[in-house]
Amino acid sequence: MHELSIVQSLIDAVLDRTGGRAVTGVNLRIGPLSGVLPDALRFCFDVASAGTTLAGARLRIDEPQGRGLCRTCGNDFALTDMFLLCPCGSADVEVVTGRELKLVSVEVA
Amino acid sequence: MCATCGCGEDATPRVYALDVPGAQAHGHSHEDGHGHTHDGHTHDGHEHTHDDHSHEHTPSDPHGDGHSHAPELISMEQNLLAKNDLLAERNRGWLAGRKVRALNMMSSPGAGKTTLLVRTLTELGDRLRAGVIEGDQETSLDADRIRAAGRPAVQINTGAGCHLDADMLRRGLDALDPPMDSTVFIENVGNLVCPALFDLGEAAKVVVVSVTEGDDKPQKYPHMFIAADLVIINKSDLLPYVDFDVDECLHRIRHLNAHAQFLVLSATTGDGLAAWFDWLDGRTSPTETRTGSLTGSLEESLTDAH
């Protein structure tokens, strides 16, 4: 449950920026290769935000698709797991998207 | 919550320095009167995440004029782990200033991290000046084993936590106070999932997997093996009795991680330990791992294993 630590860190970062203002929305971007589960994050957010100015805030999580670029054949393909293997057989793959673990913006009242 | 004084300490990480008797029995060793202030280190204004103040900052209106604001979208664009990463970089700077090499040892519970460390410290003796920071949810059993080997050890009990983070390590380093030019082994909480995500400021990540766990561990816990600088396959003495294909395991790791080095050894019998000691002798920075002779160590490991 590292998601709980991450949510605590998220809440601290938001509180630092928003002061006492009520937070109505939090926008995140979490890639499928980031090692963090959006569902677990939502669960932890509800628990950890209770009693703070973030309580009840809408958590919107943008989940971009993972994309890899093969350095051998130049193929741009979808990455669904951590095994970076191009259909051409090359494992020399650059992860273009999918590792995002980002706090994008917050909405305050 | 603590049944003795109601301090709520059970939920927060606790750091026990050496020579604190009975640490595992909820030692109540905060010398500073429950203030949880950490006076060591040199970072002024360090951002502690004191769980006990529950972050009800309720600061006054930032504009001081009391009027209400229009709804607003505030751009943040920062990594969710930014705070931990910042603290980890501070640790890295602190360690570099003391020329202390920190190695983050990770594995599932029971893979043999403590046995490997005890054997390493015992066999290398004065050749390696080292201390250990032990992370476990509860008890000081592991730190006791290290101290029995005659080396300084600090126990961090994470309570409900499943990993060490950079702030816990900083507190551990304060308590351990490692001398210049020494090595600090950080024995992370036994867990192949969460510790992979938290940079501590270490020079290298060492992942230990034992042959009794199965050779499919890299596929099941890819993040841990992606993060590794060195993978140690431990308990090689049990290979004749278990269905573990060393080649297969190493190839699976290689698919995930093009940089990691491999060693196959038995901390119990001592087989293969020489290569681990060479690795400890030969490296001082993470860049060296990445540029080291990878194929050489792979072939060596494979040969050793058969």
Coordinates of all heavy atoms in Angstrom, one line a residue, chain A residues 17-94:
Chain A
R17 N 0.2 24.6 -1.4 CA -0.1 25.6 -2.4 C -1.4 26.3 -2.2 O -1.6 27.4 -2.7 CB -0.1 24.9 -3.8 CG 1.2 24.8 -4.5 CD 1.8 26.1 -4.8 NE 1.2 26.7 -6.0 CZ 1.4 26.4 -7.3 NH1 2.4 25.5 -7.5 NH2 0.8 27.0 -8.3
T18 N -2.4 25.6 -1.6 CA -3.7 26.2 -1.5 C -4.0 26.9 -0.2 O -5.1 27.5 -0.1 CB -4.8 25.1 -1.8 OG1 -4.6 24.1 -0.8 CG2 -4.6 24.5 -3.2
G19 N -3.2 26.8 0.8 CA -3.5 27.4 2.1 C -4.8 26.8 2.6 O -5.0 25.7 2.6
G20 N -5.6 27.7 3.1 CA -6.9 27.3 3.7 C -8.0 27.1 2.8 O -9.1 26.8 3.2
R21 N -7.8 27.4 1.5 CA -8.9 27.4 0.6 C -9.4 26.0 0.3 O -8.7 25.0 0.3 CB -8.5 28.0 -0.8 CG -8.0 29.4 -0.6 CD -7.4 30.0 -1.9 NE -8.4 30.2 -2.9 CZ -8.1 30.7 -4.1 NH1 -6.8 31.0 -4.4 NH2 -9.0 30.9 -5.0
A22 N -10.8 25.9 0.2 CA -11.4 24.6 0.0 C -11.0 24.1 -1.4 O -11.1 24.8 -2.4 CB -12.9 24.7 0.1
V23 N -10.5 22.8 -1.5 CA -10.1 22.2 -2.7 C -11.3 21.4 -3.3 O -11.8 20.5 -2.6 CB -8.9 21.3 -2.5 CG1 -8.5 20.6 -3.8 CG2 -7.7 22.2 -2.0
T24 N -11.7 21.7 -4.5 CA -12.9 21.0 -5.0 C -12.5 19.9 -6.0 O -13.3 19.1 -6.3 CB -13.8 22.0 -5.8 OG1 -13.0 22.8 -6.7 CG2 -14.5 23.0 -4.8
G25 N -11.3 20.0 -6.6 CA -10.9 19.0 -7.5 C -9.4 18.9 -7.6 O -8.6 19.8 -7.3
V26 N -8.9 17.6 -7.8 CA -7.5 17.4 -8.0 C -7.3 16.6 -9.2 O -8.0 15.5 -9.4 CB -7.0 16.6 -6.7 CG1 -5.5 16.2 -6.9 CG2 -7.1 17.3 -5.4
N27 N -6.4 17.0 -10.1 CA -6.2 16.4 -11.4 C -4.8 15.7 -11.4 O -3.8 16.4 -11.2 CB -6.3 17.4 -12.5 CG -7.7 18.0 -12.6 OD1 -8.7 17.3 -12.5 ND2 -7.7 19.3 -12.7
L28 N -4.8 14.4 -11.6 CA -3.6 13.6 -11.7 C -3.4 13.0 -13.0 O -4.3 12.8 -13.8 CB -3.6 12.5 -10.6 CG -4.0 12.9 -9.2 CD1 -4.0 11.6 -8.3 CD2 -3.0 13.8 -8.6
R29 N -2.1 12.6 -13.4 CA -1.9 11.9 -14.5 C -1.0 10.7 -14.1 O 0.1 10.8 -13.6 CB -1.1 12.7 -15.6 CG -1.0 11.9 -16.9 CD -0.3 12.8 -18.0 NE -1.0 14.1 -18.2 CZ -0.5 15.3 -18.0 NH1 0.8 15.4 -17.7 NH2 -1.2 16.4 -18.2
I30 N -1.6 9.5 -14.3 CA -0.9 8.3 -13.8 C -0.8 7.2 -14.9 O -1.8 6.7 -15.4 CB -1.6 7.7 -12.6 CG1 -1.5 8.7 -11.4 CG2 -1.0 6.4 -12.2 CD1 -2.3 8.3 -10.2
G31 N 0.4 6.9 -15.3 CA 0.6 6.0 -16.4 C 0.5 4.6 -16.0 O 0.7 4.3 -14.8
P32 N 0.3 3.6 -16.9 CA 0.1 2.2 -16.5 C 1.5 1.6 -16.1 O 1.5 0.5 -15.5 CB -0.4 1.6 -17.8 CG 0.0 2.5 -18.9 CD 0.1 3.9 -18.3
L33 N 2.6 2.2 -16.4 CA 3.9 1.7 -16.0 C 4.5 2.4 -14.7 O 5.6 2.2 -14.4 CB 4.9 1.8 -17.1 CG 4.4 1.4 -18.5 CD1 5.5 1.5 -19.6 CD2 3.9 -0.1 -18.5
S34 N 3.7 3.2 -14.1 CA 4.2 3.9 -12.9 C 4.3 3.2 -11.6 O 5.0 3.6 -10.7 CB 3.2 5.1 -12.7 OG 2.0 4.7 -12.2
G35 N 3.6 2.0 -11.6 CA 3.7 1.2 -10.3 C 2.7 1.6 -9.3 O 2.7 1.2 -8.2
V36 N 1.7 2.5 -9.7 CA 0.7 3.0 -8.8 C -0.7 2.7 -9.4 O -0.9 2.9 -10.6 CB 0.8 4.5 -8.6 CG1 -0.3 5.0 -7.8 CG2 2.1 4.8 -7.8
L37 N -1.6 2.1 -8.6 CA -2.9 1.7 -9.1 C -3.9 2.9 -8.8 O -4.1 3.3 -7.7 CB -3.4 0.5 -8.3 CG -2.7 -0.8 -8.7 CD1 -3.2 -1.9 -7.8 CD2 -2.9 -1.2 -10.1
P38 N -4.5 3.4 -9.9 CA -5.5 4.5 -9.7 C -6.6 4.1 -8.7 O -6.9 5.0 -7.9 CB -6.0 4.7 -11.1 CG -4.9 4.3 -12.0 CD -4.2 3.2 -11.3
D39 N -7.1 2.9 -8.8 CA -8.2 2.6 -7.8 C -7.7 2.6 -6.4 O -8.4 3.1 -5.5 CB -8.7 1.2 -8.2 CG -9.6 1.2 -9.4 OD1 -10.0 2.3 -9.8 OD2 -9.9 0.1 -9.9
A40 N -6.5 2.1 -6.1 CA -6.0 2.1 -4.8 C -5.8 3.6 -4.3 O -6.0 3.9 -3.2 CB -4.7 1.3 -4.7
L41 N -5.3 4.4 -5.3 CA -5.1 5.8 -5.0 C -6.4 6.5 -4.6 O -6.5 7.3 -3.6 CB -4.5 6.5 -6.2 CG -3.5 7.6 -6.0 CD1 -2.3 7.2 -5.1 CD2 -3.0 8.2 -7.3
R42 N -7.5 6.2 -5.3 CA -8.8 6.8 -5.0 C -9.3 6.4 -3.6 O -9.7 7.2 -2.8 CB -9.9 6.3 -6.0 CG -9.8 6.9 -7.4 CD -10.9 6.3 -8.3 NE -10.5 6.5 -9.7 CZ -10.6 7.6 -10.3 NH1 -11.0 8.7 -9.7 NH2 -10.2 7.7 -11.6
F43 N -9.1 5.1 -3.3 CA -9.5 4.6 -2.0 C -8.7 5.4 -0.9 O -9.3 5.9 0.1 CB -9.2 3.1 -1.9 CG -9.5 2.5 -0.6 CD1 -10.8 2.3 -0.2 CD2 -8.5 2.3 0.3 CE1 -11.1 1.7 1.1 CE2 -8.7 1.7 1.5 CZ -10.0 1.5 1.9
C44 N -7.4 5.5 -1.1 CA -6.6 6.1 -0.1 C -6.9 7.6 0.0 O -6.8 8.2 1.1 CB -5.1 5.9 -0.4 SG -4.6 4.2 -0.3
F45 N -7.2 8.2 -1.1 CA -7.5 9.7 -1.1 C -8.7 10.0 -0.2 O -8.7 10.9 0.5 CB -7.7 10.1 -2.5 CG -8.0 11.6 -2.6 CD1 -6.9 12.5 -2.6 CD2 -9.2 12.1 -2.8 CE1 -7.1 13.9 -2.6 CE2 -9.5 13.5 -2.8 CZ -8.4 14.4 -2.7
D46 N -9.7 9.2 -0.4 CA -11.0 9.4 0.4 C -10.6 9.3 1.9 O -11.1 10.1 2.7 CB -12.0 8.4 0.1 CG -12.6 8.6 -1.3 OD1 -12.3 9.7 -1.9 OD2 -13.2 7.7 -1.9
V47 N -9.8 8.3 2.3 CA -9.5 8.1 3.7 C -8.6 9.3 4.2 O -8.8 9.9 5.2 CB -8.8 6.8 3.9 CG1 -8.3 6.6 5.3 CG2 -9.7 5.6 3.5
A48 N -7.5 9.6 3.4 CA -6.5 10.5 3.9 C -6.9 12.0 3.8 O -6.4 12.8 4.5 CB -5.2 10.3 3.1
S49 N -7.9 12.3 2.9 CA -8.3 13.7 2.8 C -9.4 14.1 3.8 O -9.6 15.3 4.0 CB -8.8 13.9 1.4 OG -10.0 13.2 1.1
A50 N -10.0 13.1 4.5 CA -11.0 13.4 5.5 C -10.4 14.4 6.5 O -9.3 14.2 7.0 CB -11.5 12.1 6.1
G51 N -11.2 15.4 6.8 CA -10.7 16.3 7.9 C -9.8 17.4 7.4 O -9.3 18.2 8.1
T52 N -9.4 17.4 6.1 CA -8.6 18.4 5.5 C -9.4 19.3 4.5 O -10.6 19.0 4.3 CB -7.4 17.9 4.7 OG1 -7.9 17.3 3.4 CG2 -6.7 16.7 5.5
T53 N -8.8 20.3 4.0 CA -9.6 21.1 3.0 C -9.8 20.4 1.7 O -10.4 20.9 0.8 CB -8.8 22.4 2.7 OG1 -7.4 22.1 2.4 CG2 -8.8 23.3 3.9
L54 N -9.2 19.2 1.6 CA -9.4 18.4 0.3 C -10.6 17.4 0.5 O -10.9 16.7 -0.5 CB -8.1 17.6 0.0 CG -7.0 18.3 -0.6 CD1 -6.2 19.0 0.4 CD2 -6.1 17.4 -1.4
A55 N -11.2 17.4 1.6 CA -12.3 16.4 1.9 C -13.4 16.6 0.8 O -13.8 17.8 0.6 CB -12.8 16.5 3.3
G56 N -13.8 15.6 0.2 CA -14.9 15.6 -0.8 C -14.4 16.1 -2.2 O -15.2 16.2 -3.1
A57 N -13.2 16.5 -2.3 CA -12.7 16.9 -3.6 C -12.8 15.8 -4.7 O -12.6 14.7 -4.4 CB -11.2 17.4 -3.5
R58 N -13.1 16.2 -5.9 CA -13.2 15.2 -7.0 C -11.8 14.9 -7.5 O -11.0 15.8 -7.8 CB -14.0 15.8 -8.1 CG -14.3 14.9 -9.2 CD -15.3 15.6 -10.2 NE -14.9 17.0 -10.5 CZ -13.9 17.3 -11.3 NH1 -13.2 16.4 -11.9 NH2 -13.6 18.6 -11.4
L59 N -11.5 13.6 -7.5 CA -10.2 13.2 -7.9 C -10.3 12.7 -9.4 O -11.0 11.7 -9.6 CB -9.7 12.1 -7.0 CG -8.2 11.6 -7.1 CD1 -7.3 12.7 -6.8 CD2 -8.0 10.4 -6.2
R60 N -9.7 13.5 -10.3 CA -9.8 13.0 -11.7 C -8.4 12.5 -12.1 O -7.4 13.3 -12.0 CB -10.2 14.2 -12.6 CG -10.5 13.7 -14.0 CD -11.4 14.7 -14.7 NE -10.8 16.1 -14.7 CZ -11.4 17.2 -14.9 NH1 -12.7 17.2 -15.1 NH2 -10.8 18.4 -14.9
I61 N -8.4 11.3 -12.6 CA -7.1 10.7 -12.9 C -7.0 10.4 -14.4 O -7.8 9.6 -14.9 CB -6.8 9.4 -12.1 CG1 -6.9 9.6 -10.6 CG2 -5.5 8.8 -12.5 CD1 -6.7 8.4 -9.7
D62 N -6.2 11.1 -15.1 CA -5.9 10.9 -16.5 C -4.9 9.7 -16.6 O -3.9 9.7 -16.0 CB -5.3 12.2 -17.1 CG -4.9 12.0 -18.5 OD1 -5.5 11.1 -19.2 OD2 -4.0 12.7 -19.0
E63 N -5.4 8.7 -17.3 CA -4.5 7.5 -17.5 C -4.0 7.3 -18.9 O -4.7 6.7 -19.7 CB -5.3 6.2 -17.0 CG -5.7 6.3 -15.6 CD -6.5 5.1 -15.2 OE1 -6.0 4.0 -15.4 OE2 -7.6 5.2 -14.6
P64 N -2.9 7.9 -19.3 CA -2.4 7.9 -20.6 C -2.0 6.4 -21.0 O -1.6 5.7 -20.1 CB -1.2 8.8 -20.6 CG -0.7 8.8 -19.2 CD -2.0 8.6 -18.4
Q65 N -2.1 6.1 -22.2 CA -1.6 4.8 -22.6 C -0.1 4.7 -22.6 O 0.6 5.8 -22.8 CB -2.1 4.5 -24.1 CG -2.1 3.1 -24.5 CD -2.4 2.9 -26.0 OE1 -2.1 3.8 -26.8 NE2 -2.9 1.7 -26.3
G66 N 0.5 3.6 -22.4 CA 1.9 3.4 -22.5 C 2.4 3.3 -23.9 O 1.8 2.6 -24.7
R67 N 3.4 4.1 -24.3 CA 3.9 4.0 -25.7 C 5.4 3.8 -25.6 O 6.1 4.4 -24.8 CB 3.7 5.3 -26.5 CG 2.3 5.8 -26.5 CD 1.4 4.9 -27.4 NE 1.9 4.6 -28.8 CZ 1.3 3.8 -29.6 NH1 0.2 3.2 -29.2 NH2 1.8 3.6 -30.8
G68 N 5.9 2.9 -26.5 CA 7.4 2.7 -26.5 C 7.9 2.9 -27.9 O 7.1 2.8 -28.9
L69 N 9.1 3.3 -28.0 CA 9.8 3.6 -29.3 C 11.0 2.6 -29.4 O 11.9 2.7 -28.6 CB 10.2 5.0 -29.4 CG 10.9 5.5 -30.7 CD1 9.8 5.4 -31.9 CD2 11.4 6.9 -30.6
C70 N 10.9 1.8 -30.4 CA 12.0 0.8 -30.6 C 13.2 1.5 -31.2 O 13.1 2.2 -32.3 CB 11.5 -0.3 -31.5 SG 12.9 -1.5 -31.9
R71 N 14.3 1.4 -30.6 CA 15.5 2.1 -31.1 C 16.2 1.3 -32.2 O 17.0 1.8 -32.9 CB 16.6 2.3 -30.0 CG 16.2 3.3 -28.9 CD 17.4 3.7 -28.1 NE 17.0 4.5 -26.9 CZ 16.7 3.9 -25.7 NH1 16.9 2.7 -25.5 NH2 16.4 4.7 -24.7
T72 N 15.7 0.0 -32.4 CA 16.3 -0.8 -33.5 C 15.6 -0.6 -34.8 O 16.2 -0.3 -35.8 CB 16.2 -2.3 -33.1 OG1 16.9 -2.4 -31.8 CG2 16.9 -3.2 -34.1
C73 N 14.2 -0.6 -34.7 CA 13.5 -0.6 -36.0 C 12.6 0.7 -36.1 O 12.0 1.0 -37.1 CB 12.6 -1.8 -36.2 SG 11.1 -1.8 -35.1
G74 N 12.6 1.5 -35.1 CA 11.9 2.8 -35.1 C 10.4 2.7 -34.9 O 9.7 3.6 -35.0
N75 N 9.9 1.5 -34.6 CA 8.5 1.2 -34.4 C 8.0 1.9 -33.2 O 8.6 1.9 -32.1 CB 8.3 -0.3 -34.3 CG 6.8 -0.7 -34.3 OD1 5.9 0.1 -34.7 ND2 6.5 -1.9 -33.7
D76 N 6.8 2.6 -33.3 CA 6.2 3.2 -32.1 C 5.0 2.3 -31.8 O 4.1 2.1 -32.6 CB 5.7 4.6 -32.6 CG 5.0 5.3 -31.5 OD1 4.4 4.7 -30.6 OD2 5.1 6.6 -31.5
F77 N 5.0 1.7 -30.6 CA 4.0 0.7 -30.3 C 3.5 0.8 -28.8 O 4.1 1.5 -28.0 CB 4.5 -0.7 -30.5 CG 5.7 -1.1 -29.6 CD1 5.6 -1.9 -28.5 CD2 7.0 -0.6 -29.9 CE1 6.6 -2.2 -27.7 CE2 8.1 -0.9 -29.1 CZ 7.9 -1.7 -28.0
A78 N 2.3 0.2 -28.6 CA 1.7 0.3 -27.3 C 2.4 -0.6 -26.3 O 2.8 -1.7 -26.6 CB 0.2 -0.1 -27.3
L79 N 2.6 -0.1 -25.1 CA 3.3 -0.8 -24.0 C 2.2 -1.2 -23.0 O 1.5 -0.3 -22.4 CB 4.4 0.0 -23.3 CG 5.7 0.2 -24.0 CD1 6.6 1.1 -23.2 CD2 6.4 -1.2 -24.2
T80 N 2.0 -2.4 -22.7 CA 1.0 -2.8 -21.7 C 1.5 -3.3 -20.4 O 0.9 -3.4 -19.4 CB 0.0 -3.9 -22.3 OG1 0.8 -4.9 -22.8 CG2 -0.8 -3.3 -23.5
D81 N 2.8 -3.7 -20.4 CA 3.4 -4.1 -19.2 C 4.9 -3.7 -19.2 O 5.3 -2.9 -20.1 CB 3.3 -5.7 -19.1 CG 4.0 -6.4 -20.2 OD1 5.0 -5.9 -20.8 OD2 3.5 -7.5 -20.6
M82 N 5.6 -4.1 -18.1 CA 7.0 -3.6 -17.9 C 8.0 -4.3 -18.8 O 9.1 -4.0 -18.8 CB 7.4 -3.7 -16.5 CG 6.5 -3.0 -15.5 SD 6.3 -1.3 -15.9 CE 7.9 -0.7 -15.7
F83 N 7.5 -5.3 -19.6 CA 8.5 -6.0 -20.4 C 8.6 -5.3 -21.7 O 7.7 -5.3 -22.6 CB 8.0 -7.5 -20.6 CG 8.2 -8.2 -19.4 CD1 7.2 -8.3 -18.4 CD2 9.4 -8.9 -19.1 CE1 7.4 -8.9 -17.2 CE2 9.6 -9.6 -17.9 CZ 8.6 -9.6 -17.0
L84 N 9.7 -4.6 -21.9 CA 9.9 -3.7 -23.0 C 10.4 -4.4 -24.2 O 11.6 -4.5 -24.4 CB 10.9 -2.5 -22.6 CG 10.5 -1.8 -21.3 CD1 11.5 -0.8 -20.9 CD2 9.1 -1.2 -21.4
L85 N 9.5 -5.0 -24.9 CA 9.9 -5.8 -26.1 C 9.1 -5.4 -27.3 O 7.9 -5.4 -27.3 CB 9.6 -7.3 -25.8 CG 10.3 -8.3 -26.6 CD1 11.8 -8.2 -26.5 CD2 9.8 -9.7 -26.2
C86 N 9.8 -4.9 -28.3 CA 9.2 -4.5 -29.6 C 8.7 -5.8 -30.3 O 9.4 -6.8 -30.2 CB 10.2 -3.8 -30.4 SG 9.6 -3.3 -32.1
P87 N 7.7 -5.7 -31.1 CA 7.2 -6.8 -31.9 C 8.3 -7.3 -32.8 O 8.3 -8.5 -33.2 CB 6.1 -6.3 -32.7 CG 5.5 -5.2 -31.9 CD 6.7 -4.6 -31.2
C88 N 9.3 -6.5 -33.1 CA 10.4 -6.9 -34.0 C 11.4 -7.8 -33.3 O 12.3 -8.4 -33.9 CB 11.2 -5.7 -34.6 SG 12.4 -5.0 -33.5
G89 N 11.3 -7.9 -31.9 CA 12.1 -8.8 -31.2 C 13.2 -8.0 -30.4 O 13.8 -8.6 -29.5
S90 N 13.4 -6.7 -30.7 CA 14.4 -5.9 -30.0 C 13.9 -5.5 -28.6 O 12.7 -5.2 -28.4 CB 14.7 -4.7 -30.8 OG 15.5 -3.8 -30.0
A91 N 14.8 -5.6 -27.6 CA 14.4 -5.1 -26.2 C 15.0 -3.7 -26.0 O 14.9 -3.2 -24.9 CB 15.0 -6.1 -25.2
D92 N 15.6 -3.1 -27.0 CA 16.1 -1.8 -26.9 C 15.0 -0.8 -27.1 O 14.9 -0.2 -28.2 CB 17.3 -1.6 -27.8 CG 18.1 -0.3 -27.6 OD1 17.8 0.3 -26.6 OD2 18.9 0.0 -28.4
V93 N 14.2 -0.6 -26.1 CA 13.0 0.2 -26.3 C 13.0 1.4 -25.4 O 13.3 1.3 -24.2 CB 11.7 -0.7 -26.0 CG1 10.5 0.2 -26.0 CG2 11.6 -1.8 -27.0
E94 N 12.7 2.6 -25.9 CA 12.6 3.8 -25.0 C 11.1 3.9 -24.6 O 10.2 3.9 -25.5 CB 13.0 5.0 -25.8 CG 12.9 6.3 -25.1 CD 13.2 7.5 -26.0 OE1 13.6 7.3 -27.1 OE2 12.8 8.6 -25.5

